[in-house]
Short mmCIF file of all heavy atoms in Angstrom, two decimals:
data_model
loop_
_atom_site.label_atom_id
_atom_site.label_comp_id
_atom_site.label_asym_id
_atom_site.label_seq_id
_atom_site.Cartn_x
_atom_site.Cartn_y
_atom_site.Cartn_z
N ARG A 1 3.22 4.43 -12.37
CA ARG A 1 3.29 4.84 -10.92
C ARG A 1 3.57 3.71 -9.87
O ARG A 1 2.80 2.66 -10.02
CB ARG A 1 1.85 5.61 -10.62
CG ARG A 1 1.79 6.04 -9.12
CD ARG A 1 0.45 6.71 -8.77
NE ARG A 1 -0.74 5.96 -9.26
CZ ARG A 1 -1.47 6.24 -10.30
NH1 ARG A 1 -1.12 7.29 -11.11
NH2 ARG A 1 -2.49 5.47 -10.56
N MET A 2 4.40 3.86 -9.13
CA MET A 2 4.66 2.78 -8.08
C MET A 2 4.09 3.35 -6.74
O MET A 2 4.31 4.37 -6.25
CB MET A 2 6.19 2.56 -7.86
CG MET A 2 6.45 1.40 -6.88
SD MET A 2 8.22 1.36 -6.35
CE MET A 2 8.16 2.37 -5.00
N LYS A 3 3.20 2.44 -6.20
CA LYS A 3 2.58 2.73 -4.94
C LYS A 3 3.09 1.83 -3.81
O LYS A 3 3.29 0.58 -3.98
CB LYS A 3 1.04 2.57 -5.05
CG LYS A 3 0.29 2.65 -3.72
CD LYS A 3 -0.02 1.26 -3.16
CE LYS A 3 -0.40 1.28 -1.66
NZ LYS A 3 -0.61 -0.14 -1.01
N THR A 4 3.31 2.31 -2.72
CA THR A 4 3.76 1.54 -1.55
C THR A 4 3.28 2.23 -0.23
O THR A 4 3.11 3.39 -0.06
CB THR A 4 5.15 1.30 -1.54
OG1 THR A 4 5.58 0.21 -0.54
CG2 THR A 4 6.07 2.56 -1.14
N ALA A 5 3.05 1.39 0.78
CA ALA A 5 2.84 1.89 2.19
C ALA A 5 4.14 1.52 2.97
O ALA A 5 4.57 0.54 3.00
CB ALA A 5 1.64 1.22 2.73
N VAL A 6 4.54 2.63 3.70
CA VAL A 6 5.83 2.40 4.50
C VAL A 6 5.71 3.03 5.79
O VAL A 6 4.93 3.84 6.17
CB VAL A 6 6.99 3.06 3.71
CG1 VAL A 6 7.37 2.39 2.38
CG2 VAL A 6 6.76 4.60 3.50
N THR A 7 6.54 2.51 6.78
CA THR A 7 6.66 3.09 8.07
C THR A 7 7.64 4.35 8.08
O THR A 7 8.29 4.59 7.02
CB THR A 7 7.25 2.01 9.09
OG1 THR A 7 8.57 1.71 8.62
CG2 THR A 7 6.28 0.82 9.08
N LEU A 8 7.74 4.99 9.09
CA LEU A 8 8.68 6.11 9.21
C LEU A 8 10.11 5.71 9.00
O LEU A 8 10.86 6.50 8.57
CB LEU A 8 8.47 6.90 10.46
CG LEU A 8 7.14 7.60 10.56
CD1 LEU A 8 7.11 8.31 12.16
CD2 LEU A 8 6.94 8.66 9.64
N ASP A 9 10.38 4.42 9.30
CA ASP A 9 11.82 4.01 9.04
C ASP A 9 11.99 3.16 7.70
O ASP A 9 12.91 2.52 7.58
CB ASP A 9 12.30 3.15 10.28
CG ASP A 9 11.45 2.03 10.56
OD1 ASP A 9 10.31 1.98 10.19
OD2 ASP A 9 11.88 1.15 11.36
N GLY A 10 11.00 3.44 6.83
CA GLY A 10 11.11 2.99 5.54
C GLY A 10 10.75 1.49 5.31
O GLY A 10 11.27 0.87 4.30
N ARG A 11 10.02 0.81 6.21
CA ARG A 11 9.72 -0.61 6.02
C ARG A 11 8.37 -0.82 5.40
O ARG A 11 7.38 -0.05 5.70
CB ARG A 11 9.80 -1.26 7.43
CG ARG A 11 11.04 -0.89 8.20
CD ARG A 11 12.25 -1.48 7.58
NE ARG A 11 13.45 -1.14 8.40
CZ ARG A 11 14.62 -1.52 8.02
NH1 ARG A 11 14.93 -2.08 6.84
NH2 ARG A 11 15.64 -1.23 8.87
N THR A 12 8.26 -1.69 4.52
CA THR A 12 7.05 -2.11 3.79
C THR A 12 6.40 -3.42 4.36
O THR A 12 5.28 -3.63 4.04
CB THR A 12 7.27 -2.27 2.39
OG1 THR A 12 8.14 -3.22 2.05
CG2 THR A 12 7.66 -0.82 1.85
N ALA A 13 7.18 -4.09 5.22
CA ALA A 13 6.73 -5.38 5.73
C ALA A 13 7.62 -5.84 6.81
O ALA A 13 8.91 -5.34 6.88
CB ALA A 13 6.67 -6.46 4.61
N PHE A 14 7.24 -6.80 7.62
CA PHE A 14 8.12 -7.48 8.58
C PHE A 14 9.13 -8.27 7.84
O PHE A 14 8.95 -8.61 6.64
CB PHE A 14 7.18 -8.37 9.49
CG PHE A 14 6.64 -7.67 10.63
CD1 PHE A 14 6.66 -6.27 10.79
CD2 PHE A 14 5.98 -8.34 11.65
CE1 PHE A 14 6.03 -5.58 11.86
CE2 PHE A 14 5.28 -7.77 12.68
CZ PHE A 14 5.45 -6.38 12.75
N PRO A 15 10.16 -8.65 8.50
CA PRO A 15 11.15 -9.52 7.80
C PRO A 15 10.58 -10.80 7.28
O PRO A 15 11.07 -11.26 6.31
CB PRO A 15 12.18 -9.87 8.90
CG PRO A 15 12.09 -8.57 9.94
CD PRO A 15 10.66 -8.25 9.87
N ASP A 16 9.56 -11.31 7.87
CA ASP A 16 8.83 -12.54 7.33
C ASP A 16 7.90 -12.22 6.28
O ASP A 16 7.15 -13.16 5.79
CB ASP A 16 8.19 -13.31 8.48
CG ASP A 16 7.09 -12.49 9.21
OD1 ASP A 16 6.67 -11.43 8.71
OD2 ASP A 16 6.53 -13.05 10.24
N GLY A 17 7.66 -11.05 5.81
CA GLY A 17 6.79 -10.63 4.72
C GLY A 17 5.41 -10.13 5.14
O GLY A 17 4.75 -9.59 4.20
N ARG A 18 5.02 -10.19 6.44
CA ARG A 18 3.78 -9.67 6.85
C ARG A 18 3.60 -8.14 6.68
O ARG A 18 4.63 -7.48 7.14
CB ARG A 18 3.41 -10.13 8.19
CG ARG A 18 3.13 -11.56 8.42
CD ARG A 18 2.86 -11.91 9.92
NE ARG A 18 4.06 -11.83 10.67
CZ ARG A 18 4.16 -11.60 11.93
NH1 ARG A 18 2.96 -11.43 12.72
NH2 ARG A 18 5.32 -11.51 12.63
N SER A 19 2.57 -7.76 6.15
CA SER A 19 2.40 -6.25 5.96
C SER A 19 1.06 -5.75 6.17
O SER A 19 0.83 -4.55 6.04
CB SER A 19 2.80 -5.85 4.44
OG SER A 19 1.85 -6.48 3.68
N GLN A 20 0.03 -6.53 6.56
CA GLN A 20 -1.29 -6.09 6.68
C GLN A 20 -1.62 -5.84 8.28
O GLN A 20 -1.73 -6.73 8.98
CB GLN A 20 -2.29 -7.08 6.20
CG GLN A 20 -2.14 -7.34 4.58
CD GLN A 20 -2.99 -8.45 4.04
OE1 GLN A 20 -3.68 -9.17 4.81
NE2 GLN A 20 -3.22 -8.34 2.73
N TRP A 21 -1.99 -4.56 8.57
CA TRP A 21 -1.97 -3.36 7.60
C TRP A 21 -1.03 -2.32 8.23
O TRP A 21 -0.98 -2.03 9.43
CB TRP A 21 -3.34 -2.82 7.44
CG TRP A 21 -4.22 -3.84 6.93
CD1 TRP A 21 -5.30 -4.54 7.48
CD2 TRP A 21 -4.40 -4.03 5.50
NE1 TRP A 21 -6.03 -5.22 6.55
CE2 TRP A 21 -5.41 -4.99 5.32
CE3 TRP A 21 -3.71 -3.58 4.31
CZ2 TRP A 21 -5.95 -5.37 3.96
CZ3 TRP A 21 -4.06 -4.11 3.13
CH2 TRP A 21 -5.14 -5.03 2.93
N ILE A 22 -0.20 -1.70 7.33
CA ILE A 22 0.65 -0.64 7.82
C ILE A 22 -0.14 0.66 7.93
O ILE A 22 0.00 1.41 8.92
CB ILE A 22 1.82 -0.48 6.83
CG1 ILE A 22 2.74 -1.70 6.88
CG2 ILE A 22 2.67 0.83 7.09
CD1 ILE A 22 3.88 -1.66 5.82
N THR A 23 -0.92 0.93 6.95
CA THR A 23 -1.75 2.28 7.06
C THR A 23 -3.16 2.01 7.40
O THR A 23 -3.53 0.81 7.48
CB THR A 23 -1.67 2.88 5.58
OG1 THR A 23 -2.21 1.94 4.60
CG2 THR A 23 -0.36 3.31 5.20
N GLY A 24 -3.86 3.07 7.70
CA GLY A 24 -5.19 2.99 8.21
C GLY A 24 -6.20 2.91 7.03
O GLY A 24 -5.82 2.89 5.82
N GLU A 25 -7.44 2.82 7.48
CA GLU A 25 -8.66 2.63 6.49
C GLU A 25 -8.71 3.62 5.41
O GLU A 25 -9.03 3.49 4.33
CB GLU A 25 -9.92 2.52 7.26
CG GLU A 25 -10.07 1.09 7.95
CD GLU A 25 -11.33 0.91 8.61
OE1 GLU A 25 -12.34 1.74 8.25
OE2 GLU A 25 -11.60 0.00 9.38
N ALA A 26 -8.47 4.95 5.85
CA ALA A 26 -8.54 6.05 4.99
C ALA A 26 -7.52 5.99 3.83
O ALA A 26 -7.93 6.33 2.70
CB ALA A 26 -8.48 7.35 5.77
N ALA A 27 -6.28 5.62 4.15
CA ALA A 27 -5.30 5.64 3.22
C ALA A 27 -5.66 4.38 2.29
O ALA A 27 -5.35 4.50 1.05
CB ALA A 27 -3.86 5.40 3.82
N ARG A 28 -6.09 3.26 2.77
CA ARG A 28 -6.39 2.17 1.89
C ARG A 28 -7.60 2.51 0.93
O ARG A 28 -7.51 2.05 -0.17
CB ARG A 28 -6.70 0.92 2.77
CG ARG A 28 -5.47 0.45 3.64
CD ARG A 28 -5.64 -1.00 4.00
NE ARG A 28 -6.76 -1.23 4.96
CZ ARG A 28 -6.75 -1.00 6.24
NH1 ARG A 28 -5.75 -0.53 6.82
NH2 ARG A 28 -7.91 -1.32 6.99
N ALA A 29 -8.50 3.23 1.50
CA ALA A 29 -9.51 3.75 0.61
C ALA A 29 -9.07 4.55 -0.46
O ALA A 29 -9.56 4.55 -1.71
CB ALA A 29 -10.64 4.37 1.42
N ASP A 30 -8.15 5.50 -0.12
CA ASP A 30 -7.56 6.44 -1.10
C ASP A 30 -6.92 5.73 -2.21
O ASP A 30 -6.90 6.10 -3.32
CB ASP A 30 -6.64 7.33 -0.44
CG ASP A 30 -6.14 8.46 -1.34
OD1 ASP A 30 -7.00 9.37 -1.61
OD2 ASP A 30 -4.97 8.61 -1.64
N VAL A 31 -6.17 4.57 -1.86
CA VAL A 31 -5.54 3.82 -2.94
C VAL A 31 -6.50 3.30 -4.02
O VAL A 31 -6.17 3.21 -5.20
CB VAL A 31 -4.79 2.48 -2.38
CG1 VAL A 31 -4.34 1.50 -3.39
CG2 VAL A 31 -3.65 3.01 -1.40
N GLN A 32 -7.72 2.97 -3.63
CA GLN A 32 -8.65 2.50 -4.52
C GLN A 32 -9.01 3.54 -5.62
O GLN A 32 -9.25 3.13 -6.74
CB GLN A 32 -9.92 2.19 -3.76
CG GLN A 32 -9.91 1.02 -2.91
CD GLN A 32 -9.73 -0.29 -3.53
OE1 GLN A 32 -10.27 -0.55 -4.63
NE2 GLN A 32 -8.62 -1.10 -3.02
N PHE A 33 -9.00 4.80 -5.27
CA PHE A 33 -9.14 5.87 -6.24
C PHE A 33 -8.09 5.82 -7.26
O PHE A 33 -8.28 6.03 -8.53
CB PHE A 33 -9.21 7.23 -5.52
CG PHE A 33 -9.09 8.38 -6.45
CD1 PHE A 33 -10.12 8.83 -7.14
CD2 PHE A 33 -7.88 9.06 -6.63
CE1 PHE A 33 -10.04 9.92 -8.05
CE2 PHE A 33 -7.68 10.05 -7.50
CZ PHE A 33 -8.75 10.53 -8.31
N TRP A 34 -6.71 5.72 -6.81
CA TRP A 34 -5.63 5.74 -7.79
C TRP A 34 -5.66 4.50 -8.60
O TRP A 34 -5.35 4.61 -9.84
CB TRP A 34 -4.34 5.86 -6.88
CG TRP A 34 -4.22 7.19 -6.22
CD1 TRP A 34 -4.64 7.62 -5.05
CD2 TRP A 34 -3.58 8.27 -6.85
NE1 TRP A 34 -4.29 8.81 -4.79
CE2 TRP A 34 -3.67 9.41 -5.92
CE3 TRP A 34 -2.86 8.54 -8.12
CZ2 TRP A 34 -3.08 10.58 -6.17
CZ3 TRP A 34 -2.35 9.79 -8.32
CH2 TRP A 34 -2.45 10.80 -7.30
N ARG A 35 -6.05 3.35 -8.03
CA ARG A 35 -6.21 2.18 -8.93
C ARG A 35 -7.45 2.42 -9.93
O ARG A 35 -7.24 2.05 -11.11
CB ARG A 35 -6.70 0.88 -8.08
CG ARG A 35 -5.67 0.24 -7.30
CD ARG A 35 -6.27 -1.08 -6.68
NE ARG A 35 -5.36 -1.70 -5.77
CZ ARG A 35 -5.74 -2.75 -5.21
NH1 ARG A 35 -6.95 -3.36 -5.36
NH2 ARG A 35 -4.86 -3.42 -4.37
N GLY A 36 -8.38 3.08 -9.52
CA GLY A 36 -9.60 3.20 -10.37
C GLY A 36 -9.24 4.19 -11.59
O GLY A 36 -9.96 3.96 -12.64
N ARG A 37 -8.35 5.06 -11.56
CA ARG A 37 -8.00 5.86 -12.66
C ARG A 37 -7.05 5.29 -13.61
O ARG A 37 -6.81 5.75 -14.75
CB ARG A 37 -7.48 7.19 -12.29
CG ARG A 37 -6.39 7.31 -11.27
CD ARG A 37 -5.82 8.65 -10.95
NE ARG A 37 -5.08 9.15 -11.92
CZ ARG A 37 -4.56 10.52 -11.92
NH1 ARG A 37 -4.71 11.18 -10.84
NH2 ARG A 37 -3.77 10.88 -12.85
N ALA A 38 -6.29 4.11 -13.13
CA ALA A 38 -5.36 3.51 -14.03
C ALA A 38 -5.98 2.58 -15.10
O ALA A 38 -7.12 2.10 -14.95
CB ALA A 38 -4.45 2.63 -13.16
N GLY A 39 -5.25 2.32 -16.09
CA GLY A 39 -5.66 1.38 -17.16
C GLY A 39 -5.24 0.03 -16.84
O GLY A 39 -6.00 -0.98 -17.37
N ALA A 40 -4.17 -0.21 -15.94
CA ALA A 40 -3.75 -1.49 -15.52
C ALA A 40 -3.18 -1.45 -14.26
O ALA A 40 -2.51 -0.38 -13.88
CB ALA A 40 -2.70 -2.05 -16.60
N VAL A 41 -3.50 -2.44 -13.42
CA VAL A 41 -2.79 -2.60 -12.04
C VAL A 41 -1.82 -3.74 -12.16
O VAL A 41 -2.20 -4.79 -12.64
CB VAL A 41 -3.86 -2.85 -11.00
CG1 VAL A 41 -3.12 -3.13 -9.70
CG2 VAL A 41 -4.89 -1.71 -10.87
N LEU A 42 -0.54 -3.52 -11.73
CA LEU A 42 0.54 -4.47 -12.07
C LEU A 42 1.13 -4.89 -10.72
O LEU A 42 1.36 -4.12 -9.81
CB LEU A 42 1.56 -3.90 -12.90
CG LEU A 42 2.70 -4.72 -13.39
CD1 LEU A 42 3.16 -4.33 -14.76
CD2 LEU A 42 3.97 -4.58 -12.39
N THR A 43 1.41 -6.19 -10.53
CA THR A 43 2.11 -6.78 -9.37
C THR A 43 2.86 -7.97 -9.84
O THR A 43 2.98 -8.30 -11.05
CB THR A 43 1.08 -7.25 -8.33
OG1 THR A 43 1.76 -7.37 -7.11
CG2 THR A 43 0.38 -8.42 -8.71
N GLY A 44 3.71 -8.54 -8.94
CA GLY A 44 4.46 -9.70 -9.18
C GLY A 44 3.96 -10.96 -8.57
O GLY A 44 3.17 -10.90 -7.68
#
């Protein structure tokens, strides 16, 4: 499963890479649930 937070125009970060925070606290808390059910969390 690929998770991402995006704006309405499909942006995940500013051109310089800054992204904290696009979504609100409730969405960020919800992500923790999805992490919690996974066997592994993967990033680059």
